[in-house]
Amino acid sequence: FCPAAAGARAAIHFTKEPYSQDALHGRSAILRCEVEDPAHVEFEWLHNGLPVQDTEQRFKEGSNLQFAAVDRHRDAGDFQCVARNSLSGEEARTANASFNIKWIETGSVVLKQPASAAEIQPSSTVVLRCHVDGHPR
């Protein structure tokens, strides 16, 4: 008995899989997913186990997942590519991939010394305090 002669279906093999990577908040990014034999293969992306819906910010382009602008809240978590053969029903999934999203947020600047702007003299020392938050710290 020869399985190939009996029309055994070819297993889905990934040639490109998404991998965890650094990304900048507000910048573009891409997660790649490709298979050896793409005939009759449909691709779906999952985000934290749920199907990704195309938006202007995040959409499937071919088999890849394109991010026009990575968002540190919306795009946190795990992404996974699912390849499904529409004829055989066979399905394969990649490992999870995620973004290490780098961001910086500036807040207000406060005058610490002297107590008021009116007290500032030419050539005198002034102490300012600014609030900055981000990742990495």
Side-chain angles (χ1 to χ4, degrees):
F1 174 76
C2 177
R9 60 183 188 242
I12 294 174
H13 294 290
F14 290 102
T15 54
K16 285 196 178 159
E17 295 194 46
Y19 59 90
S20 294
Q21 56 191 280
D22 288 346
L24 295 175
H25 175 82
R27 291 291 194 59
S28 64
I30 190 167
L31 292 175
R32 298 191 185 281
C33 183
E34 293 176 18
V35 295
E36 203 169 71
D37 180 10
H40 309 293
V41 174
E42 295 167 355
F43 294 89
E44 178 182 41
W45 283 90
L46 304 178
H47 180 221
N48 297 323
L50 299 173
V52 171
Q53 303 299 323
D54 281 0
T55 65
E56 285 186 14
Q57 301 299 324
R58 181 173 71 192
F59 51 92
K60 201 166 70 172
E61 195 169 66
S63 56
N64 299 323
L65 189 60
Q66 187 77 42
F67 296 77
V70 172
D71 181 275
R72 66 186 171 107
H73 302 293
R74 181 192 62 225
D75 299 321
D78 292 324
F79 289 90
Q80 185 179 42
C81 176
V82 181
R84 199 174 288 112
N85 185 308
S86 59
L87 296 182
S88 67
E90 185 195 356
E91 180 181 293
R93 295 175 177 226
T94 63
N96 283 326
S98 61
F99 289 115
N100 174 30
I101 303 172
K102 299 179 180 225
W103 57 275
I104 189 163
E105 209 170 72
T106 58
S108 57
V109 177
V110 179
L111 177 64
K112 295 305 283 177
Q113 285 179 344
S116 73
E119 297 174 44
I120 297 173
Q121 299 295 318
S123 304
S124 66
T125 299
V126 173
V127 178
L128 303 173
R129 192 177 119 228
C130 62
H131 179 77
V132 178
D133 196 10
H135 175 78
R137 284 255 164 252

